[in-house]
Amino acid sequence: AQSVTQLDSQVPVFEEAPVELRCNYSSSVSVYLFWYVQYPNQGLQLLLKYLSGSTLVKGINGFEAEFNKSQTSFHLRKPSVHISDTAEYFCAVSSNDYKLSFGAGTTVTVRA
Amino acid sequence: EPEVTQTPSHQVTQMGQEVILRCVPISNHLYFYWYRQILGQKVEFLVSFYNNEISEKSEIFDDQFSVERPDGSNFTLKIRSTKLEDSAMYFCASSEGILEGPSSYEQYFGPGTRLTVT
């Protein structure tokens, strides 16, 4: 069974500042990793994914994440945030059983 | 771009009533899922469905829940006798699952149905 830990429940950040959201996972088998974003009162939108290949993955809206197998991490970064990035961000992991296990989420609040 | 759709967007029901939540997955996808998110909590897996049968279910998915693919396009979640604690956002998702390669694991989510049990 796999599990996901998002180390920060709330991250306040000023507009145009960088942000990093931390995600660690545990799994005994190979994993596939995802970041989803949920804007207020909306569904889940895929930001980016790691399935195989390069450990640095780029997603939509200027986000990127790096898969670190030795540290079992998949941290999400953006060099310069906008007000519109205010949302909840979920890290998720899947392995051989296809189902997604989600972290508890990180609320990002961007202030002017 | 193809997308997963869900109806209704909001359902209010009384405790003990049956509800059916509907989803239309992406047309060439073979794996279907239901998840739920209780307000303020994380998204939880309920059930996965492949080849017209349940492939995995969580401990949340007890006898009051059932899923069905009644035709070639719809995928439904039925809750037989709703409880107050069933109030949540319910998300449907689908994935390709054609070659069982990495792309099988990418799930596309619908916008959700907010279920309120009173």
Side-chain angles (χ1 to χ4, degrees):
Chain A
Q2 59 263 17
S3 66
V4 178
T5 301
Q6 290 184 243
L7 297 159
D8 309 292
S9 59
Q10 309 237 6
V11 173
V13 58
F14 286 106
E15 194 174 19
E16 297 183 10
V19 70
E20 178 180 80
L21 308 185
R22 296 179 292 169
C23 172
N24 287 89
Y25 69 91
S26 65
S27 176
S28 57
V29 297
S30 297
V31 294
Y32 305 99
L33 294 154
F34 306 84
W35 276 97
Y36 285 86
V37 60
Q38 185 178 33
Y39 298 105
N41 300 313
Q42 293 190 28
L44 296 166
Q45 182 181 4
L46 181 66
L47 264 183
L48 48 75
K49 59 186 183 277
Y50 171 78
L51 302 179
S52 64
S54 173
T55 57
L56 181 64
V57 292
K58 294 189 184 297
I60 62 172
N61 301 341
F63 284 93
E64 65 179 33
E66 186 154 19
F67 170 54
N68 187 319
K69 189 174 181 179
S70 62
Q71 296 188 3
T72 61
S73 68
F74 190 55
H75 300 333
L76 179 72
R77 301 183 184 95
K78 184 169 181 177
S80 175
V81 296
H82 302 291
I83 297 287
S84 58
D85 292 321
T86 294
E88 183 136 24
Y89 294 80
F90 293 95
C91 181
V93 62
S94 179
S95 61
N96 295 339
D97 56 7
Y98 290 92
K99 69 179 184 186
L100 285 171
S101 296
F102 284 84
T106 298
T107 302
V108 173
T109 305
V110 182
R111 297 190 177 98
Chain B
E1 187 175 329
E3 58 183 18
V4 177
T5 60
Q6 290 185 244
T7 54
S9 57
H10 191 188
Q11 173 93 45
V12 181
T13 189
Q14 289 190 326
M15 197 167 50
Q17 295 297 303
E18 174 184 285
V19 294
I20 297 176
L21 309 183
R22 291 184 165 78
C23 168
V24 179
I26 294 172
S27 62
N28 65 335
H29 285 188
L30 300 179
Y31 282 88
F32 315 116
Y33 313 83
W34 284 101
Y35 293 82
R36 79 171 184 191
Q37 183 183 30
I38 294 172
L39 188 63
Q41 298 186 24
K42 67 178 175 181
V43 178
E44 302 172 288
F45 168 79
L46 290 178
V47 66
S48 58
F49 191 85
Y50 171 71
N51 201 24
N52 282 320
E53 60 183 26
I54 291 173
S55 50
E56 186 171 355
K57 59 183 180 180
S58 71
E59 61 269 17
I60 303 168
F61 195 87
D62 60 23
D63 290 344
Q64 70 161 341
F65 290 93
S66 63
V67 289
E68 193 179 27
R69 188 153 164 82
D71 53 44
S73 59
N74 289 284
F75 179 52
T76 62
L77 174 69
K78 182 193 288 186
I79 309 175
R80 289 190 183 84
S81 178
T82 50
K83 305 182 185 116
L84 293 175
E85 54 265 35
D86 293 326
S87 294
M89 180 75 90
Y90 288 80
F91 292 107
C92 174
S94 68
S95 62
E96 287 184 358
I98 295 173
L99 299 175
E100 300 212 7
S103 65
S104 305
Y105 296 90
E106 182 173 347
Q107 295 182 23
Y108 295 80
F109 282 78
T113 293
R114 180 166 297 285
L115 177 65
T116 303
V117 182
T118 61

